[in-house]
Amino acid sequence: MNYKFTKDFAIQTDASDALNSYRDKFVFPEHLGEKALYFTGNSLGLMPKKVKEYLNEELEDWGKFGVEGHFESRRPWYSYHENFTKMMAEVVGAKENEVVLMNGLTTNLHLMMISFYQPTSSRYKILCEKKAFPSDQYMLETQIKHHGLDIADTLIEVGPREGEETIREEDILEAIENNKDELALVFMGGVNYYTGQLFDMKSITECAHKYEITVGFDLAHGAGNVLLNLHDWKVDFACWCTYKYLNSGPGSVSGVYIHESHTSNTELNRFGGWWGHDKETRFLMEPGFNPMPTAEGWQLSNAPIFSMTPLLASLELFSQAGIKALHHKGQLLSGYLEFMVDEINIDLTEKLEIITPREKSKRGCQISIVAHGRGKELFDKLTEKGVIADWRQPNVIRMAPVPLYNSFEDIYNFGVILKDSLK
Ligand SMILES: *Cc1c(COP(=O)(O)O)cnc(C)c1O
């Protein structure tokens, strides 16, 4: 796309964008009576307008049916999680028997570790990216302790090289090769939350599988953002939250993917609960855990209806728009943002720096900008002018132009405000 830093360009591009109408299906926070410039869909996605209607339906049905709602309501609660399976599987490139929605993300990571991290005296190490999201670090640290192992000896962290911001893929593959006999698990973010770097999950999985090392990804920043083919890539397991790019609302349920080669393996260690038990015999309430032969076999509790409902409204939009078209637009939007920063840099002595990879194949829609020499006052100026972005100490602005609801005009307006704020 031949970008221009003009309002005309932005307006015309929006007008010819087939996905532009989806913007009207979301509720925006306001600034001085106008839609705010919302770029934090990577932290909390906006609310689809349909959410209110769908939630009201569940409240109505609860009132109307009481306990009978489990079977009598318009979307029976007994099998409620099944409403999401097909749409969720499409977004992450999985088969329907490989996905389920349940619990919170960190909880699910712990559950996956119970099944997929079985250290032995010779094979016990875990490879992960340096500066992983804190919750993932704490999860790994406490799992390692749980097995009575030493963290320094068990955890291998691959970071960027001296003076670089992103991690070289060859360094990850090399670390796998160098530790191939001792690694039990490769677990990392598919898209790094800080830099927005997208890893080649297919190559990483292929490399690890050569040595029978299990591979799992945290896709909190991947699901609904980048193109995923978890089944074909043969990833063993993955988990993601749904309140970021998937717009399900604060603290909503997490998604889990387990490759079908594992789902019917009853030998796998796992923590069981009645909702993972065979659906046909669940209410016989008999002893002996007999898990469903799908990802559903990892469910513990009955579904939290009110926290899942918003996801239905959002996934319907993903399903209509199509993840491929959304991803394509996301790339155009983040490309425009990148262009904008480069244009503004021309007149700056102290340049802004983009730490997200410049290659489109190595990122989703997030762009992380280092505002060298400028402190929080720059960010506060942006906020004052109606920009909602994410500030990380000491000087990083993370921005996610989300294809479902952000426009080219949003980015143009941001560019004008940024340029003005740097004066
Ligand atoms: C957002 C995020 C989380 C959040 O975990 P919750 O259990 O949903 O609170 C965890 N890991 C990563 C990589 C994240 O980006």
Side-chain angles (χ1 to χ4, degrees), residues 37-44 193-194 221 366-369 376 379 382-383 387-393 395-400 414:
L37 298 174
Y38 196 82
F39 296 113
T40 43
N42 56 345
S43 189
L44 186 74
Y193 82 100
Y194 187 71
H221 287 265
Q366 176 182 322
I367 300 282
S368 301
I369 304 164
K376 181 114 189 316
F379 187 74
L382 297 174
T383 308
V387 176
I388 304 181
D390 176 83
W391 179 259
R392 294 281 139 156
Q393 290 296 351
N395 56 6
V396 174
I397 306 173
R398 294 189 310 161
M399 301 190 48
F414 169 73

Side-chain angles (χ1 to χ4, degrees), residues 78 274-275 277-289:
Y78 182 68
W274 73 322
W275 232 251
H277 189 87
D278 172 35
K279 202 159 92 168
E280 307 308 322
T281 58
R282 186 180 296 150
F283 282 114
L284 298 179
M285 310 292 209
E286 283 174 342
F289 179 54

